[in-house]
Amino acid sequence: MKEPSTAEKPKFWRKPLDADRLQVPKGKVHIIKERCKGCGFCIEYCPRDVLGLSDEFNSKGYHFPVAVNEDACVSCKLCDLLCPEFAIYSETIEQEEVEKGGK
Amino acid sequence: MIERHPMDQLLREDRIPHIWCSGCGLGTSLTAFMSALQDTGISLDNVSVVSGIGCTGRVAGYVKLDSFHTTHGRPIPFAVGLHLANPSLKVVVFSGDGDLIAIGGNHFIHSARRNLDMTIICVNNFNYGMTGGQGGPTTPIGAKTSTTPYGNFEFPFNIPHLAAASGATYVARWTALDARRLRKSIHEALMKRGFSVVEIISPCPTLFGRFNRQGTGLDILNSYREQTVIQHGADPAKVGIEPGGKIIVGKFVDIERPTFLDVVNQGLKGKFGPPVEKPRAEELAIPSVDE
Ligand code: SF4
Ligand code: SF4
Ligand code: SF4
């Protein structure tokens, strides 16, 4: 059986008291697929399960990640930090822009 | 269009992709270091990175900073020279366990003893990766390597204990998976006055992982999630890595002690001209625009 991903695991933390006043940041993830060596760190540890493994290969012969759930990205930048290849990064889309429907 | 990564401004892009294997933790360790360095706001012109030989030793060649790739085991002596010749530099030694603790072990303990003001980032993958996975002074007892096919019979060094006992002012250990805590810890180490040491436990799936059936780099990161326990302030003597045991991570030592140059300046006060002052890290920071 496949181990549940971080997002599927039971959550033990409580809801913050000011949850209604908090704004969840929105992010957009960028993948430089030619740099990827397919280690899967970003896919496994993305807390929002934004990423999945592509069926395609890059020119080095590795499967790279693709954003399968692009809108869920909160720009936590964990993928930026964990990627050993400088192959993925996220950008915070300003809250304002999101309201205007920008991406 | 060439796609660029925000970290590229700190990398020698012509040398990327780096040589590290898929699933190796070295790239993650380097990212943690570079983002910590950016967070400190230290002027990049005042930073020097020195590495020795080995997989980790490649770091000096990848960072777009003043850097030097020394001979095996000698990054610390080179760094000591840099620091003493120009005390305003922020000197960082980024190297592996084999380089710093085996071949360069003597330099490590004596620089800690003298409390030279520099930061040591030691990536520990429990073996000599680049030369084919030989056993080294950090290989856990019983672990298989290419030179210990029946398991390692030598007791390993416990790096935080070695550093703390030799006199380091800051000692922490994290795994490559603790990327955010690692970044914060490297930030603290960079701002610390004195000999600061950060050990990074990092997967080597190609050699150590393969000999010990640890699986892929991702499997090893997942195993850290089960095996690590955060214990800030733990006694460094008790954080040795036992086979099958827990890996204790955290900040173990954060003390104040006069540095070598402090003692020199004190001892020579009034004897020869003005003292050699080392500016504090805050003074090296770039002033923000609104100041
Ligand atoms: S920034 Fe965070 S949420 Fe977005 S893809 Fe990366 S890890 Fe996932
Ligand atoms: S962490 Fe980086 S190298 Fe690994 S799969 Fe993701 S993008 Fe590729
Ligand atoms: S041999 Fe080990 S330490 Fe060296 S690059 Fe490969 S995985 Fe990393």
Side-chain angles (χ1 to χ4, degrees):
Chain A
M1 202 191 82
K2 203 184 160 281
E3 219 201 273
S5 79
T6 324
E8 289 160 5
K9 283 199 172 144
K11 294 183 168 60
F12 295 109
W13 56 88
R14 64 178 174 82
K15 197 170 163 213
L17 293 173
D18 55 353
D20 51 331
R21 269 172 288 140
L22 292 178
Q23 279 188 322
V24 179
K26 279 219 81 178
K28 177 162 170 52
V29 62
H30 298 269
I31 299 153
I32 308 176
K33 67 176 187 189
E34 284 306 323
R35 280 193 185 174
C36 173
K37 288 187 192 159
C39 66
F41 292 180
C42 56
I43 302 174
E44 172 78 12
Y45 287 101
C46 169
R48 305 282 292 206
D49 280 345
V50 171
L51 304 162
L53 197 63
S54 141
D55 292 329
E56 283 173 63
F57 296 100
N58 64 12
S59 61
K60 284 187 280 204
Y62 291 107
H63 290 293
F64 50 88
V66 280
V68 288
N69 191 6
E70 199 171 5
D71 293 337
C73 177
V74 288
S75 195
C76 66
K77 301 195 183 286
L78 190 62
C79 53
D80 298 36
L81 254 187
L82 277 181
C83 175
E85 304 292 333
F86 315 100
I88 188 167
Y89 65 95
S90 67
E91 215 181 10
T92 313
I93 314 174
E94 295 300 325
Q95 205 70 33
E96 230 182 15
E97 275 182 64
V98 175
E99 276 158 22
K100 282 191 234 137
K103 256 258 150 113
Chain B
M1 193 192 92
I2 304 165
E3 292 170 290
R4 286 184 56 104
H5 190 276
M7 211 53 98
D8 284 358
Q9 49 176 325
L10 275 170
L11 290 171
R12 293 181 208 238
E13 275 177 83
D14 50 326
R15 310 201 62 187
I16 302 294
H18 53 60
I19 62 155
W20 299 320
C21 310
S22 166
C24 177
L26 281 165
T28 309
S29 309
L30 177 57
T31 312
F33 163 65
M34 293 199 304
S35 49
L37 185 61
Q38 282 177 322
D39 291 350
T40 60
I42 298 172
S43 161
L44 299 181
D45 289 340
N46 284 324
V47 181
S48 304
V49 176
V50 189
S51 295
I53 300 297
C55 292
T56 323
R58 307 290 300 193
V59 162
Y62 295 134
V63 290
K64 205 195 257 171
L65 296 166
D66 290 337
S67 61
F68 199 80
H69 192 182
T70 66
T71 47
H72 209 347
R74 312 298 169 226
I76 292 181
F78 187 88
V80 171
L82 269 181
H83 164 60
L84 295 181
N86 184 355
S88 68
L89 288 178
K90 173 97 329 210
V91 181
V92 181
V93 173
F94 199 130
S95 210
D97 54 311
D99 191 64
L100 288 173
I101 308 301
I103 301 105
N106 242 316
H107 305 303
F108 181 83
I109 55 174
H110 289 287
S111 306
R113 171 178 66 82
R114 294 190 284 164
N115 198 22
L116 287 147
D117 188 4
M118 55 177 67
T119 300
I120 310 288
I121 300 174
C122 177
V123 182
N124 181 1
N125 54 15
F126 305 114
N127 74 146
Y128 290 97
M130 184 165 276
T131 47
Q134 291 84 355
T138 50
T139 308
I141 202 124
K144 293 210 168 79
T145 65
S146 61
T147 49
T148 59
Y150 304 103
N152 177 31
F153 304 133
E154 300 173 19
F155 293 105
F157 265 137
N158 166 0
I159 297 177
H161 187 35
L162 183 67
S166 310
T169 53
Y170 183 97
V171 181
R173 171 200 276 158
W174 296 103
T175 69
L177 178 62
D178 302 298
R180 288 204 185 102
R181 296 190 182 98
L182 173 61
R183 176 175 59 188
K184 176 162 174 267
S185 197
I186 295 177
H187 186 153
E188 286 177 359
L190 288 170
M191 302 311 273
K192 184 79 192 174
R193 242 167 143 259
F195 197 80
S196 50
V197 180
V198 179
E199 179 190 13
I200 309 174
I201 307 285
S202 168
C204 171
T206 306
L207 291 159
F208 191 77
R210 184 160 52 90
F211 287 123
N212 294 287
R213 299 181 189 272
Q214 293 178 325
T216 62
L218 183 57
D219 293 333
I220 303 174
L221 284 198
N222 287 340
S223 74
Y224 293 156
R225 205 159 64 181
E226 311 297 325
Q227 283 176 2
T228 51
V229 182
I230 302 179
Q231 268 182 33
H232 291 297
D235 178 356
K238 300 201 175 108
V239 301
I241 295 172
E242 313 271 340
K246 293 282 182 201
I247 302 176
I248 297 171
V249 295
K251 177 165 83 175
F252 306 133
V253 175
D254 191 353
I255 55 167
E256 301 297 330
R257 201 160 78 88
T259 66
F260 175 69
L261 280 184
D262 290 343
V263 181
V264 169
N265 288 334
Q266 191 58 38
L268 297 183
K269 211 172 194 172
K271 297 212 167 75
F272 304 93
V276 195
E277 270 295 332
K278 167 149 187 156
R280 300 190 56 118
E282 304 85 90
E283 292 164 23
L284 295 177
I286 322 166
S288 72
V289 192
D290 39 66
E291 256 173 46

